[in-house]
């Protein structure tokens, strides 16, 4: 069975002069199933592309298309509620602002009915076979709370993440740098025609040290506390 997914995401960054929009399209191909018919191993192919009104530094065509992330992931479920994945991502900049990088990641995510599962923990380790050096690690939780007894009712969640780039992951001479992000997200499923969709509104604060903030460059957001507001719409069929 194959499942495709598309999402449109808009992110507002407080001091930037543009409104980024991301369009994402993917397909998941089931490779194996358990005795209950649920998929136990599947392949994911996905492309996520970023667009915004061009800034002064983006002089190459196409100027509005600043980012294209394309990945292949092999996902399997060794235990009920536990998902493990190996992911390879190629990140390019169609308008030439950023260099091409390749990232290889291993991740674990757990979602269950026990105390740990209700926190929805995620762990990931990423290295770059091509591009900047270093290793990135991420630990995140996102406990959720149903706001209605209906299956299709709204859900409130609290995403919290700690990320750390080791040994120059954020660029030559950057050393090892960390950030913390925390906030709230409201998600609501809805029907559009015969298709099931979901919309999500998320507000986060990203806290980082002065050195990591400065690495954003003269055209980036250089605050040590960065508010992010993201609105996304997605569907799967």
């Amino acid at each position: 069975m194959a499942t495709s997914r598309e999402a449109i995401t808009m992110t507002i960054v407080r001091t930037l002069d543009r409104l980024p929009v991301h369009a994402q399209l993917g397909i998941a191909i089931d490779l194996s199933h358990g005795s209950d018919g649920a998929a136990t191993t599947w392949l994911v192919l996905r492309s996520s592309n970023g667009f915004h009104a061009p800034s002064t530094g983006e002089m190459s065509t196409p100027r509005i298309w600043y980012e294209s992330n394309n990945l292949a992931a092999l996902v399997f479920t060794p235990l009920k509620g536990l998902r493990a994945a190996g992911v390879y991502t190629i990140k390019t900049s169609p308008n030439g602002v950023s260099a091409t990088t390749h990232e290889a990641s291993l991740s674990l995510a757990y979602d269950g009915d026990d105390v740990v599962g209700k926190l929805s923990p995620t762990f990931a380790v990423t290295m770059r076979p091509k591009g900047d050096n270093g290793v990135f690690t991420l630990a995140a939780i996102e406990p959720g709370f149903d706001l209605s007894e209906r299956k299709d009712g709204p859900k409130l969640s609290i995403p919290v993440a700690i990320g750390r780039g080791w040994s120059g992951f954020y660029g030559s001479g950057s050393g090892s740098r960390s950030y913390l992000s925390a906030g709230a997200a409201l998600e609501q499923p809805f029907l559009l025609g015969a298709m099931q969709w979901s919309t999500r509104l998320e507000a986060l604060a990203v806290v980082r040290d002065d050195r990591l903030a400065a690495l954003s460059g003269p055209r980036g957001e250089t605050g040590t506390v960065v508010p992010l507001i993201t609105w996304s719409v997605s569907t799967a069929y």
Side-chain angles (χ1 to χ4, degrees):
M1 182 182 71
T3 302
S4 62
R5 182 177 181 86
E6 55 185 340
I8 299 175
T9 304
M10 293 191 297
T11 303
I12 301 173
V13 183
R14 176 171 54 87
T15 61
L16 299 186
D17 58 353
R18 55 191 184 268
L19 176 66
V21 177
H22 283 257
Q24 179 174 285
L25 179 64
I27 183 170
I29 304 171
D30 293 351
L31 302 178
S32 65
H33 299 82
S35 57
D36 58 356
T40 56
T41 308
W42 59 96
L43 175 68
V44 176
L45 303 174
R46 189 173 70 202
S47 179
S48 178
N49 298 274
F51 308 88
H52 60 51
S55 63
T56 55
E58 292 157 335
M59 304 302 294
S60 301
T61 302
R63 295 179 63 215
I64 65 169
W65 187 7
Y66 69 94
E67 181 179 84
S68 182
N69 299 332
N70 301 280
L71 67 82
L74 182 63
V75 187
F76 65 99
T77 57
L79 298 170
K80 183 179 179 180
L82 180 65
R83 298 186 310 278
V87 186
Y88 197 88
T89 306
I90 300 176
K91 297 184 174 183
T92 62
S93 180
N95 61 12
V97 170
S98 302
T100 297
T101 61
H102 292 212
E103 293 185 352
S105 303
L106 294 174
S107 68
L108 285 173
Y110 180 60
D111 186 12
D113 295 329
D114 55 8
V115 174
V116 176
K118 290 181 179 179
L119 293 175
S120 298
T122 300
F123 304 94
V125 178
T126 299
M127 62 169 294
R128 286 177 173 155
K130 180 179 179 180
D132 293 327
N133 297 318
V135 175
F136 176 76
T137 55
L138 176 74
I141 59 173
E142 189 172 346
F145 311 92
D146 292 326
L147 301 181
S148 169
E149 295 183 356
R150 302 195 329 263
K151 184 179 179 180
D152 60 349
K155 181 178 180 179
L156 176 68
S157 60
I158 310 296
V160 179
I162 298 175
R164 184 169 178 84
W166 306 81
S167 304
F169 182 85
Y170 290 109
S172 178
S174 64
S176 297
R177 314 247 66 91
S178 302
Y179 74 86
L180 168 69
S181 67
L186 183 64
E187 190 166 354
Q188 173 66 66
F190 65 94
L191 277 174
L192 184 61
M195 294 180 61
Q196 183 72 45
W197 293 70
S198 179
T199 183
R200 176 182 170 103
L201 179 63
E202 181 178 273
L204 292 176
V206 180
V207 183
R208 53 196 182 165
D209 62 27
D210 291 339
R211 174 60 179 154
L212 184 54
L215 290 170
S216 295
R219 294 187 301 274
E221 166 59 73
T222 55
T224 54
V225 179
V226 182
L228 295 174
I229 299 175
T230 302
W231 173 62
S232 62
V233 179
S234 61
T235 187
Y237 55 92

